[in-house]
């Protein structure tokens, strides 16, 4: 069914009792052309573009928990594409541009809000880094600019630009960056996948990967054995566990990253601000809560909680830059398990097992990449080889020392 103002009016006549479910509860079939493990944003987008761009529709998306219940439903939704290296700028900008029309494409309001994202420069080192990024972005066709402190204050009056330790010396500003509703991105893709005849199967954990002569034949799940010709592993923080099932190792560390929101207050900030030197970032949600995040835990774990220490560190850092938040109460806090690579860039790659592909390593910043990553991963799964967007993100780069170093753009920021 197409969602529209007309349909809302029509459904109102029957007391809104006639809306069909956005996606059904599918029972696994014995065999699929392709299985995607993980119904987060990246897995669902991979399945969607497999169907839409490549006509591969006999597809199942297997999720051990509930759809979007991983990092996709736990992140702080910052969308930007101001990365330094060319392969990163290309995939993140593709993604950001797909976000611009995603609501129309999915016929589902993902609430993309291109309100503008600024990354504060609070040391001379950061000024130099962001000036360099702005130049690189100009060459890559990504629209960013380095703005002076007065413009920072104009765009975000609640910032204390003179700061006690770190005055604001300027910022890298991307006017068409912003936020989107994270759940809606997952739900919108899931609905479209179901519409194309794909099976979105929740509460279905993959526990083993089966193969013959080095080629995948299927998976063992908590809902039984399912055969497939191709398998895409898209499980973020659990990538190491799935890679282990397929018999290879990944250069990935899984750590907890957390976020928190304040009590809701009146609108006071209509841009996203990242203060990487003091190590925190903030935006205001449509409900009025201040959405706050900071750094990841310094040790590996799978706990989906995050340590208390980081709440204190992050809030202390942000109070320096936004003194007015010192009087706000924290409403809730949560964590997700992010998959970090050494060069802070993702992996979109074939693997040592034939027919198995992997998409992971988005670390603290993969929400913004969902449409572009799904596009690129679908192309790789359908054609058997990575296309132009994914070509540089193969696993072999770690063996060959061909790193895509984004530690400035992504090490702290999101
Ligand atoms: C607190 C926090 C803040 C963040 N802020 C931002 C931000 O502002 N901007 C940004 O761009 N990014 C941000 N991120 C990062 C972003 O959330 C992730 O990079 C992105 O959501 C990863 O999506 P995914 O689909 O790969 O993973 P997920 O959404 O985690 O999906 C993977 C799914 O795989 C499932 N799974 C795992 N193992 C199995 C199995 N064996 N069988 C079946 N299913 C399995 C999981 O249950 C999960 O649902 C943040 C992350 C966190 C935690």
């Amino acid at each position: 069914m197409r969602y529209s103002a007309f349909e809302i009016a029509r459904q109102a006549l029957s007391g809104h009792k006639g809306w069909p479910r956005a996606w059904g509860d599918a029972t696994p079939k014995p065999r699929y052309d392709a299985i995607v493990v993980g119904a987060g944003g990246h897995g669902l987008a991979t399945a969607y573009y497999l169907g839409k761009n490549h006509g591969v529709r006999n597809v199942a998306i297997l999720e051990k928990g509930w759809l979007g219940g991983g990092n996709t439903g736990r992140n702080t939704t910052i969308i930007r594409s101001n990365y330094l290296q060319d392969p990163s700028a290309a995939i993140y900008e593709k993604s950001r541009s797909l976000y611009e029309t995603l609501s129309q494409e999915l016929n589902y309001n993902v609430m993309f809000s291109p309100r503008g994202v600024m990354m504060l420069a609070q040391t001379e080192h950061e000024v130099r880094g962001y000036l360099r990024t702005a130049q690189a972005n100009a060459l890559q066709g990504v629209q960013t600019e380095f703005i002076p402190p007065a413009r920072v204050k104009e765009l975000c009056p609640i910032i204390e630009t003179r700061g006690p330790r770190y005055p604001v010396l300027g910022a890298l500003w991307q006017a068409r960056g912003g936020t989107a509703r994270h759940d809606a991105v997952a739900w919108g893709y899931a609905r479209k996948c179901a519409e194309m005849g794909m099976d979105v199967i929740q509460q279905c954990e993959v526990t083993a990967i089966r193969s013959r002569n080095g080629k995948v034949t299927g998976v063992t799940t908590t809902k039984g054995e399912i055969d497939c010709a191709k398998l895409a592993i898209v499980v973020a923080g659990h990538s190491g566990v799935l890679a282990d099932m397929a018999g290879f190792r990944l250069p990935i560390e899984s750590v907890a990253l957390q976020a928190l929101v304040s009590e809701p207050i009146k609108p006071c900030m209509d841009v996203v601000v990242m203060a990487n030197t003091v190590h925190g970032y903030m935006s205001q949600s449509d409900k009025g809560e201040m959405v706050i995040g900071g750094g990841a835990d310094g040790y590996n774990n799978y706990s989906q909680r995050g340590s208390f220490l980081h709440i204190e560190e992050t809030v202390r850092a942000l109070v320096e830059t936004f003194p007015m938040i010192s009087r706000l109460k924290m409403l809730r806090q949560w964590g997700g398990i992010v998959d970090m690579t050494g060069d802070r860039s993702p992996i979109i790659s074939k693997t040592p097992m034939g027919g198995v592909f992997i998409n992971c390593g988005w670390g603290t910043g993969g929400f913004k990449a969902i449409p572009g990553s799904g596009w690129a991963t679908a192309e790789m799964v359908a054609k058997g080889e990575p296309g132009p967007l994914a070509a540089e993100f193969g696993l072999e780069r770690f063996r060959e020392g061909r790193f895509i170093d984004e530690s400035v753009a992504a090490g702290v920021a999101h």
Side-chain angles (χ1 to χ4, degrees), residues 96-392:
R96 197 205 57 74
S97 63
L98 287 170
Y99 263 118
E100 294 260 4
T101 51
L102 197 60
S103 296
Q104 291 80 0
E105 162 144 15
L106 299 180
N107 179 227
Y108 202 94
N109 189 1
V110 302
M111 296 167 74
F112 176 55
S113 161
R115 59 184 69 179
V117 174
M118 65 167 83
M119 295 162 83
L120 301 182
Q122 290 174 289
T123 62
E124 289 296 340
H125 175 74
E126 267 185 318
V127 172
R128 280 195 295 274
Y130 290 150
L131 280 170
R132 182 181 173 208
T133 305
Q135 298 287 355
N137 289 165
L139 294 172
Q140 293 149 346
V142 175
Q143 285 182 7
T144 61
E145 58 179 312
F146 189 81
I147 55 173
R151 177 88 175 116
V152 170
K153 188 77 182 168
E154 193 186 332
L155 286 163
C156 187
I158 64 169
I159 291 186
E160 173 50 87
T161 48
R162 288 159 306 172
R165 284 193 302 164
Y166 296 107
V168 173
L169 306 173
L172 183 63
W173 169 241
Q174 184 167 26
R176 294 300 293 179
T179 60
R181 171 85 198 273
H182 46 15
D183 302 313
V185 172
W187 296 337
Y189 276 121
R191 180 167 159 268
K192 276 288 173 195
C193 288
E195 239 175 59
M196 286 191 280
M198 297 180 181
D199 288 342
V200 183
I201 306 168
Q202 303 182 71
Q203 307 292 327
C204 182
E205 180 171 358
V206 172
T207 53
I209 296 174
R210 292 178 284 111
S211 63
R212 195 178 310 120
N213 301 329
K215 190 168 180 331
V216 69
T217 54
V219 290
T220 305
T221 77
T222 46
K223 292 196 174 180
E225 307 271 314
I226 314 176
D227 292 346
C228 64
K230 291 182 177 178
L231 182 71
I233 300 174
V234 197
V235 295
H238 288 79
S239 299
V241 180
L242 270 288
D244 195 39
M245 292 178 198
F248 63 94
R249 295 191 66 195
L250 285 173
I252 289 270
E253 293 189 350
S254 292
V255 294
L257 176 71
Q258 59 183 307
L260 56 119
V261 289
S262 74
E263 58 188 326
I265 53 172
K266 286 189 175 170
C268 64
M269 179 183 186
D270 60 3
V271 293
V272 180
V273 177
M274 288 184 278
N276 296 340
T277 292
V278 295
H279 217 143
Y281 61 92
M282 190 164 86
S283 64
Q284 188 166 23
S285 77
D286 296 340
K287 286 185 282 182
E289 301 157 339
M290 304 311 288
V291 182
I292 291 171
D297 277 353
Y299 52 92
N300 296 356
N301 76 92
Y302 289 100
S303 74
Q304 284 200 322
R305 270 201 307 272
S307 59
F308 189 71
L309 167 80
H310 262 298
I311 304 175
E312 194 188 353
E313 267 191 359
T314 304
V315 172
R316 191 171 52 203
L318 284 177
V319 166
E320 276 190 48
T321 314
F322 304 93
M324 56 85 78
I325 67 165
S326 66
R327 297 171 65 187
L328 291 182
K329 293 190 181 69
M330 184 176 98
L331 194 65
R332 60 180 189 280
Q333 169 269 356
W334 64 91
I337 300 301
V338 295
D339 39 341
M340 310 285 275
T341 57
D343 61 359
R344 300 296 186 256
S345 287
I347 295 168
I348 307 174
S349 185
K350 298 200 294 185
T351 72
M353 185 183 280
V356 176
F357 304 86
I358 191 151
N359 171 324
C360 64
W362 295 96
T364 60
F367 175 72
K368 63 180 71 63
I370 285 172
S373 151
W375 183 288
T377 309
E379 184 174 23
M380 175 176 67
V381 174
K383 297 184 176 165
E385 291 291 334
L389 273 181
E392 302 293 323

Side-chain angles (χ1 to χ4, degrees), residues 34-111:
I35 286 180
V36 178
V37 190
H42 289 258
L44 290 161
T46 297
Y48 170 70
Y49 293 113
L50 262 176
K52 186 190 168 222
N53 294 355
H54 306 282
V56 183
R57 296 189 173 180
N58 181 20
V59 174
I61 306 113
L62 309 182
E63 167 55 49
K64 74 170 177 176
W66 68 95
L67 196 154
N71 293 340
T72 298
R74 294 165 187 268
N75 77 91
T76 45
T77 78
I78 298 173
I79 296 169
R80 60 187 178 86
S81 59
N82 51 358
Y83 283 70
L84 179 63
Q85 311 292 349
D86 291 349
S88 328
I91 195 162
Y92 286 105
E93 178 59 13
K94 169 78 180 172
S95 202
R96 197 205 57 74
S97 63
L98 287 170
Y99 263 118
E100 294 260 4
T101 51
L102 197 60
S103 296
Q104 291 80 0
E105 162 144 15
L106 299 180
N107 179 227
Y108 202 94
N109 189 1
V110 302
M111 296 167 74

